[in-house]
Amino acid sequence: MPIDQDERTTAGALERARVMSQALADAARRARFSTRSRRALASGGFQARRGARAMRMFRIATFALVVLVPSIGAAAYYAFIASNQYVAEAQFTVMGGEVPAPDAIASMTGIPAAAIIQDTQIVTNFIESRAAVEKLEASVGLRQLYSGGDIDYLARFDPSKPVEKLVSYWRRMADASIIMPAGIVDLKVRAFTPEDARAIADSVLDLSEQLINDLNARMNADAVRDAEQELQRTAERLAAARAALEKARNDQGVIDAVKQADAINKLATDLRGQLARMQQEYDAQLHAVLSTAPQMRTLKARIEAGQAQIAELEARLTAADPAESSQTLSNSMTRFAQLDLEHQIAERLYSGAAASLELARLTGEHKLMYLNTFVRPVAPQEPRYPKRILYTAAVVVGSLAAWGALVGGVAVARNHMA
């Protein structure tokens, strides 16, 4: 019995030793894990990853290149280098000599009629065109004004560049916009001195007014030329009608067929009256005198002569035979009526063309369009451009946005590769 009790005691001691050993091993592992965690947290979460130092250097370098250098450069440029730009402003309208009737859109919205808007757009498009640039170059020396040596390098124009580049540069320095609904043209011209800005704006207004005058002259010349051509055409038609009428009179030997026919009718009527009286006299005497008596033969001869004369006059007026109708006054009257109608039409057309020509000439003395400048350009007293603080802030914000996008993209790629 004592031996069994000792064996149980020894087995219990071994079991307790095994459990104790396992507990100590677990405690040691937990202690090692806790030490690594504290060391990693104490030294930073990214240091355990490979390339953390390179990533930190990349952020610093890109911040300097993308943010600091452009921001400092922009601040230095706009603070000490950028040239002042002055703006001369003018406002004008393009109006017609007669107030046009409002169309449907103008009646509902109050916007000027399409004709006025079209004329205004012609002027604004001309201001930004190459033709205007070439005329400004000839009048004020536009290339020289924008390429002075006192202008900073980034803002001035290179005088060696072609005219197409000068046109693009001019479109950045000048702006002509239409203010609705009044249709007012707002002109803004930028230059590097107040006097240059005012001089260029004045020259632009002069060129715009010259354009309007040229358009007026062209429209008036076209109207007068068309009226003169119409007058010439109607004059030729009138001359042809007169010649045809004169030829018909000469061919027929009749000046006025209507008057001649009236005269023949009157003569025939008188002869019929005389014939009736002679016939009555003949019938009355026939009861007392023989028909062979001399006086009766004479009266009979007179009656026959009257009848023949009446028949001749009637034959001159009309003809029963169509082959002989061309020699009658009725045919002449028909022909003369047609020629006279053509002559009257030609005269009326000629009179209308002459009146149109006179009206075109009178209209040409008035302007169909004119430029109404109610705000003249003046020399500005302070520069409006560049907006130094705003532009510098825009560069800083843009640089920060670009740097953030770059660093974020690289970080995402690095995490994806890890």
Side-chain angles (χ1 to χ4, degrees), residues 307-389:
Q307 291 174 345
Q309 192 173 5
I310 292 173
E312 181 183 357
L313 292 176
E314 291 178 348
R316 292 179 62 184
L317 290 175
T318 59
D321 188 0
E324 299 178 356
S325 62
S326 60
Q327 303 298 325
T328 62
L329 278 177
S330 61
N331 181 70
S332 299
M333 290 175 62
T334 302
R335 184 180 179 186
F336 282 144
Q338 294 175 350
L339 295 175
D340 187 61
L341 178 61
E342 174 64 20
H343 181 263
Q344 292 179 8
I345 293 174
E347 281 186 339
R348 292 184 180 180
L349 291 176
Y350 180 81
S351 299
S356 298
L357 177 59
E358 187 65 23
L359 179 61
R361 289 173 177 172
L362 290 176
T363 304
E365 298 177 359
H366 304 281
K367 287 186 176 182
L368 300 177
M369 295 186 300
Y370 61 93
L371 197 73
N372 181 20
T373 304
F374 56 91
V375 176
R376 298 290 306 182
V378 296
Q381 296 182 356
E382 61 179 2
R384 192 178 299 183
Y385 297 98
K387 301 183 182 298
R388 305 179 189 276
I389 297 176

Side-chain angles (χ1 to χ4, degrees), residues 31-210:
R32 285 196 302 272
F33 178 76
S34 176
T35 302
R36 284 199 301 269
S37 299
R38 288 194 301 271
R39 189 164 54 248
L41 292 174
S43 59
F46 286 102
Q47 188 155 354
R49 298 180 60 182
R50 186 172 56 184
R53 180 180 179 83
M55 185 65 183
R56 185 170 62 253
M57 294 302 296
F58 172 77
R59 289 196 301 271
I60 295 174
T62 53
F63 183 82
L65 292 175
V66 178
V67 179
L68 290 181
V69 173
S71 299
I72 294 174
Y77 171 74
Y78 287 115
F80 305 107
I81 301 176
S83 301
N84 291 329
Q85 297 182 20
Y86 299 86
V87 178
E89 185 173 358
Q91 291 184 347
F92 60 87
T93 58
V94 179
M95 304 181 65
E98 296 181 358
V99 179
D103 51 20
I105 297 178
S107 300
M108 292 185 295
T109 62
I111 298 176
I116 296 179
I117 296 299
Q118 183 180 10
D119 297 337
T120 304
Q121 288 179 341
I122 290 174
V123 176
T124 55
N125 291 338
F126 170 77
I127 291 174
E128 298 178 354
S129 66
R130 174 175 175 172
V133 171
E134 292 176 347
K135 291 183 178 181
L136 287 172
E137 173 67 18
S139 60
V140 297
L142 193 65
R143 188 186 297 265
Q144 182 179 359
L145 293 180
Y146 284 139
S147 59
D150 55 343
I151 304 172
D152 69 88
Y153 178 78
L154 296 180
R156 70 170 173 261
F157 176 74
D158 185 359
S160 63
K161 291 184 177 180
V163 67
E164 289 80 8
K165 297 296 183 181
L166 181 60
V167 172
S168 301
Y169 184 87
W170 166 250
R171 290 173 180 174
R172 295 196 303 268
M173 301 299 289
D175 177 66
S177 58
I178 302 176
I179 302 176
M180 287 298 183
I184 298 173
V185 179
D186 185 22
L187 174 65
K188 294 183 176 67
V189 177
R190 294 160 60 179
F192 297 98
T193 64
E195 293 76 14
D196 290 346
R198 183 185 58 79
I200 296 174
D202 282 334
S203 183
V204 170
L205 290 179
D206 294 339
L207 291 177
S208 300
E209 189 168 2
Q210 181 181 354

